[in-house]
Amino acid sequence: MDPLENPYRPGAGTPPPALLGRDGLINAFGVTVRRALQRRPGKSLMPIGLRGVGKTVLLNRFAEIAGHEGLEVAFIEAPETGDFRTLLAVRLRKVLLELDRKGPAKAVLRALRILKTFSLTLPDGSTIAIDVDALAGHADSGVLSEDLSDLLVATGEAAAEKAGGLLLAIDEVQYLSGEELGGLITAVHRTSQLNLPVVLVGAGLPQLPGLAGEAKSYAERLFDFPEIGSLTANDASAAISIPAQQLEVTFSDEALEMIVTEAHGYPYFLQEWGYHAWNHANATPITGDDVRSVKPLVIDQLDRNFFLVRFDRLTPKEKEYLRAMAELGPGPHRSGDIANCLNVRVESVAPRRSALIIKGMICSPAHGDTAFTVPLFDEYLRRAMPAWPSSQ
Ligand SMILES: Nc1ncnc2c1ncn2[C@@H]1O[C@H](COP(=O)(O)OP(=O)(O)O)[C@@H](O)[C@H]1O
Ligand SMILES: [Mg+2]
């Protein structure tokens, strides 16, 4: 098929040609937004899941919906290294300047002044151009939870004054420090007590509920953590067939079944399979033989584009830890079992495990459990490091 017309979009955060299997969450989010605009803010949604399941795409969809409903949107990808507070200040500045353009308002000016005060407490804050006088005594205590509360309350009031609201969408929430996450939770708790039209959504890896609970014990009453993952067989099949149908191309039943099975229903994998099957096929319908022919190419692409990027940043010892996990299967695994597989004591590999968690390679969905953050990573590792245990 014509590669120029190829509808599939393997990538990070790239909107899929058909967004399947997320209607429930999208509807729930719409209700949250409309309730917030009526000054009845509810629980924040924090979809959690492995890499490549569509969290960023979903957050972007949420942002789009909120924009349509008249909310100002601050979208932040929490940095793995770098200063979250500065990013937040920069995004809120944009929001407030946008509100300011809609006509002068007292609450907007006040929020800008508080943002100025806050920004001056940041390492490079003086470079953030905010052309108002700081409002001393607000958002400058140095206690992050207090300062974020001052800032979000003032921004929420500013948005409310313009009959709008604020959506704070944060991707990769697991990269926030405990202090940052705790501060955000406190701030949103405050805005919801004041019935301000502020909505927080986030997305992150499956350890998020645990991190939030550690940061603030009441987090579970403020957040819903719906798990998103692979699509059902029907949705996965539709994710492949619908975009093609729109271009008057079909897949044979066998081709669809093979792709769904090979991709295990995972959104990123589906896009990669669809993309290569499309480019390979000469005519419609795209057949099982087409899918079979592209298998080596798809696996190679997945290895290079999806798995290797993460694997390459690891030390040999870290790779060895992961390889031991892979030996045990897809997981999650008990930390003790992994240590056994490596023939070492649990305590001696604890630093390696922590480093891998920080690098986002593994996570701890429940106490003592260790899981890969990427679907099918165990299969990849067995491919990439076939020699085991001789690699020790
Ligand atoms: N619901 C879905 N249906 C079909 N494809 C999807 C869906 N969600 C995401 N995708 C595709 O999956 C890939 C990964 O999405 P992304 O949002 O980056 O995942 P994550 O943020 O969880 O790592 C992208 O290529 C995207 O187009
Ligand atoms: Mg993402």
Side-chain angles (χ1 to χ4, degrees):
M1 300 289 121
D2 183 355
L4 282 180
E5 286 206 321
N6 195 326
Y8 303 100
R9 309 276 311 269
T14 39
L19 182 65
L20 268 296
R22 309 291 184 230
D23 289 354
L25 286 174
I26 289 172
N27 290 337
F29 178 76
V31 172
T32 302
V33 165
R34 288 192 290 279
R35 284 182 58 89
L37 283 171
Q38 295 168 7
R39 313 292 293 262
R40 284 194 289 249
K43 276 190 170 185
S44 303
L45 271 182
M46 291 247 175
I48 53 170
L50 304 182
R51 300 204 182 275
V53 296
K55 299 180 298 297
T56 302
V57 158
L58 191 60
L59 272 193
N60 279 316
R61 184 83 189 94
F62 288 168
E64 208 176 273
I65 293 170
H68 283 150
E69 295 284 348
L71 273 73
E72 300 296 328
V73 178
F75 194 108
I76 301 171
E77 182 179 331
E80 195 172 351
T81 52
D83 192 27
F84 166 72
R85 294 169 307 163
T86 305
L87 274 180
L88 178 70
V90 170
R91 297 291 189 279
L92 289 182
R93 169 181 178 272
K94 233 172 144 177
V95 162
L96 289 171
L97 292 179
E98 193 61 42
L99 287 170
D100 193 45
R101 264 194 285 279
K102 293 181 179 168
K106 255 165 77 188
V108 179
L109 177 61
R110 184 168 183 276
L112 275 167
R113 293 186 63 196
I114 291 177
L115 177 64
K116 172 94 176 188
T117 325
F118 179 74
S119 68
L120 291 177
T121 67
L122 303 176
D124 289 321
S126 55
T127 60
I128 302 174
I130 308 170
D131 202 10
V132 294
D133 294 328
L135 190 62
H138 297 268
D140 58 358
S141 71
V143 178
L144 191 59
S145 57
E146 288 297 313
D147 296 348
L148 287 182
S149 296
D150 283 355
L151 194 57
L152 279 197
V153 166
T155 311
E157 284 169 344
E161 196 179 44
K162 297 283 183 185
L166 170 70
L167 173 72
L168 195 56
I170 304 182
D171 203 2
E172 309 282 6
V173 178
Q174 76 280 350
Y175 289 143
L176 295 181
S177 68
E179 191 196 11
E180 289 162 347
L181 183 56
L184 262 184
I185 294 171
T186 309
V188 170
H189 193 199
R190 189 81 197 118
T191 57
S192 76
Q193 283 168 352
L194 295 172
N195 292 326
L196 289 170
V198 175
V199 179
L200 172 72
V201 287
L205 293 174
Q207 73 263 36
L208 201 51
L211 295 179
E214 270 166 35
K216 285 284 163 209
S217 54
Y218 53 79
E220 65 186 37
R221 275 176 281 148
L222 289 176
F223 296 117
D224 273 331
F225 295 102
E227 259 193 86
I228 65 171
S230 57
L231 303 177
T232 62
N234 277 343
D235 284 339
S237 185
I240 294 293
S241 61
I242 291 174
Q245 261 160 25
Q246 286 164 351
L247 298 166
E248 289 168 16
V249 172
T250 56
F251 281 78
S252 74
D253 287 346
E254 189 200 11
L256 281 179
E257 263 168 45
M258 283 172 66
I259 292 184
V260 171
T261 308
E262 290 284 354
H264 294 252
Y266 282 108
Y268 175 76
F269 297 70
L270 287 168
Q271 298 298 328
E272 199 78 76
W273 276 96
Y275 184 81
H276 292 291
W278 175 282
N279 281 356
H280 176 82
N282 288 321
T284 176
I286 299 173
T287 64
D289 279 340
D290 291 324
V291 176
R292 259 183 293 276
S293 310
V294 293
K295 183 168 176 172
L297 177 62
V298 173
I299 295 200
D300 180 61
Q301 290 291 313
L302 286 173
D303 283 2
R304 277 199 275 167
N305 298 338
F306 192 65
F307 294 122
L308 192 64
V309 233
R310 304 193 161 80
F311 191 62
D312 261 4
R313 321 186 280 180
L314 306 174
T315 67
K317 284 277 177 205
E318 288 166 353
K319 289 180 183 172
E320 188 185 87
Y321 186 92
L322 294 178
R323 183 62 182 81
M325 280 177 69
E327 198 57 22
L328 297 168
H333 304 295
R334 304 294 299 168
S335 303
D337 293 342
I338 304 167
N340 274 343
C341 194
L342 283 164
N343 259 326
V344 293
R345 285 178 308 121
V346 176
E347 310 82 68
S348 70
V349 280
R352 252 196 270 179
R353 181 173 177 271
S354 308
L356 284 164
I357 290 180
I358 291 168
K359 289 185 180 175
M361 296 304 299
I362 56 176
C363 63
S364 182
H367 186 71
D369 272 350
T370 304
F372 292 114
T373 57
V374 178
L376 312 186
F377 205 60
D378 60 315
E379 286 182 15
Y380 166 73
L381 289 165
R382 290 194 298 268
R383 272 200 301 279
M385 298 170 73
W388 172 265
S390 62
S391 58
Q392 284 185 77

